[in-house]
Amino acid sequence: PVLYIGGLDNYVLPHPYFKFTPLNQLSNAVPASGSGPAGTYLGYDFRNAYAPGVSLTGSGQAVGLVEFDGYYPNDINAYKNLAGLPDVPVTNVLLNGFNGAPGGANVEVALDIDMAIAMAPGLSQVIVYEGYNPADVLNRMATDNLAKQLSSSWGWSPFDPIILQIYQQYAAQGQSMYQASGDSDAYVGAVMAPSDNPYITIVGGTTLTMTGNGAAYSSETVWNWGGGTGSSGGVSPTYSIPSWQQGIDMTTNLGSTTMRNLPDVAMTADNVFIYANNGQQGSVGGTSCAAPLWAGYTALINQLALEFGEPVVGFINPAVYALGKGSEFTSCFHDITVGNNYSPSSPTKYPAVPGYDLCTGWGTPAG
């Protein structure tokens, strides 16, 4: 039997989840609490916020990135030099005849590389998988099985059962896949695939405040710029609620007790500095910041696991939800209780609440 035929049209192209603002166009309203230009978050700020005092660097681990555009290598080098980061090797894997040339979405690729290295500066390599067809790119990451932490900051439709099986393969062979939830506030009805898939970890976004110019964590709220731009969350119209998501009181968060809810976790998605477009400085917002940060964070976890003779963590959702429902939740996560992902088309869904919510999931890691 033929499961699915794909790749024969370009009616729906992969869509990156970033909002780029050139540095010289930033408003005075941008909070100046990071160490980067104009108070943006840069380099070691992310470790100071989410892994304070942690000596692990991701040594021996690789991060794999899903990409549908190229990038300018000098932008990556400029970022590492400004942030004082080590020279982590970046390896390109080109698929579908893609030649690696940077296009209009090179911002996304540069951002993903920068975030992975910033969180895990001791990585053995960052592997950038570039192509045109999502199934081909994702499948190569599974068959290579070189990176145990993977990140995607792109969305696409329609549902593809081949990709569903690839995600199951990731889980089976110990690969952690992080998917940005989206940048359009609460989902109303349909969810942009694959941001509701139950075999991967969906990552929402926050607006972070730090003390001492990126020195330490202070607080977070839901990332929401208004007008339909913010951390996406909602209820899947396709997938039933997984076993690990059951047993959560969905009364105040307006979630579902029968269908898969998203996101699962979050990290900062606002005021993030990068170089892109061949030397242009800018600030980025979007859950596409948060997903590669989680991939880098998982490299720290896997480094520690291997040092103690444990297997890599693989699909983290069952463990994350067990922590969220348990007594150790507040020591493991920053619980985001302020904000929402309301929009003009959805003025009541969804609010941030104590515990799990459909803006930031269980929240951001507390080191």
Side-chain angles (χ1 to χ4, degrees):
V2 175
L3 176 66
Y4 184 75
I5 297 173
L8 299 183
D9 67 79
N10 59 358
Y11 183 68
V12 178
L13 297 175
H15 172 74
Y17 290 135
F18 72 85
K19 311 295 180 184
F20 179 79
T21 303
L23 207 62
N24 59 8
Q25 296 178 19
L26 288 179
S27 70
N28 293 328
V30 175
S33 62
S35 66
T40 51
Y41 294 114
L42 171 74
Y44 290 102
D45 295 356
F46 306 103
R47 290 176 58 89
N48 293 342
Y50 300 117
V54 173
S55 60
L56 300 158
T57 62
S59 175
Q61 295 293 311
V63 166
L65 301 175
V66 176
E67 305 295 354
F68 302 99
D69 204 339
Y71 63 96
Y72 295 96
N74 57 293
D75 286 337
I76 310 304
N77 293 331
Y79 182 88
K80 289 187 288 190
N81 290 337
L82 180 65
L85 292 166
D87 189 20
V88 174
V90 180
T91 304
N92 300 325
V93 178
L94 305 181
L95 303 167
N96 307 130
F98 185 71
N99 63 8
N106 76 89
V107 173
E108 182 62 72
V109 190
L111 173 68
D112 293 348
I113 297 170
D114 292 346
M115 294 302 95
I117 296 174
M119 185 59 78
L123 289 170
S124 62
Q125 64 175 326
V126 174
I127 310 174
V128 184
Y129 291 87
E130 304 170 55
Y132 297 112
N133 187 305
D136 289 347
V137 174
L138 294 166
N139 187 62
R140 180 62 179 269
M141 300 169 88
T143 56
D144 279 359
N145 196 15
L146 295 173
K148 291 301 184 180
Q149 35 277 313
L150 312 171
S151 174
S152 167
S153 296
W154 303 72
W156 57 83
S157 288
F159 166 78
D160 184 338
I162 295 174
I163 290 176
L164 178 66
Q165 293 191 350
I166 295 169
Y167 290 153
Q168 290 172 315
Q169 182 175 345
Y170 291 159
Q173 59 194 28
Q175 290 178 291
S176 306
M177 166 56 87
Y178 297 94
Q179 169 64 45
S181 68
D183 295 348
S184 55
D185 285 324
Y187 284 113
V188 181
V191 175
M192 177 70 78
S195 290
D196 60 348
N197 194 283
Y199 294 102
I200 58 177
T201 302
I202 311 303
V203 185
T206 68
T207 294
L208 170 68
T209 299
M210 299 187 71
T211 60
N213 291 329
Y217 180 94
S218 177
S219 63
E220 284 175 285
T221 61
V222 179
W223 172 58
N224 191 348
W225 284 353
T229 299
S231 178
S232 288
V235 177
S236 170
T238 306
Y239 299 105
S240 298
I241 190 168
S243 59
W244 38 262
Q245 200 171 59
Q246 296 173 15
I248 300 172
D249 185 352
M250 300 291 185
T251 305
T252 56
N253 64 20
L254 308 182
S256 173
T257 58
T258 60
M259 304 300 288
R260 199 262 204 259
N261 300 273
L262 62 124
D264 301 305
V265 292
M267 272 206 205
T268 191
D270 200 1
N271 306 320
V272 173
F273 176 85
I274 68 165
Y275 281 97
N277 299 321
N278 200 17
Q280 185 178 28
Q281 297 184 5
S283 176
V284 178
T287 55
S288 57
C289 306
L293 283 171
W294 258 102
Y297 192 84
T298 304
L300 310 183
I301 299 172
N302 282 334
Q303 177 190 352
L304 184 64
L306 294 176
E307 287 179 359
F308 280 85
E310 299 288 342
V312 294
V313 292
F315 181 46
I316 68 168
N317 284 22
V320 165
Y321 279 79
L323 289 171
K325 299 172 191 176
S327 60
E328 297 181 339
F329 168 56
T330 54
S331 65
C332 297
F333 287 89
H334 302 291
D335 187 9
I336 315 304
T337 61
V338 177
N340 56 67
N341 52 17
Y342 299 166
S343 69
S345 61
S346 178
T348 61
K349 293 183 178 179
Y350 293 93
V353 301
Y356 179 81
D357 59 54
L358 282 71
C359 304
T360 59
W362 288 109
T364 63

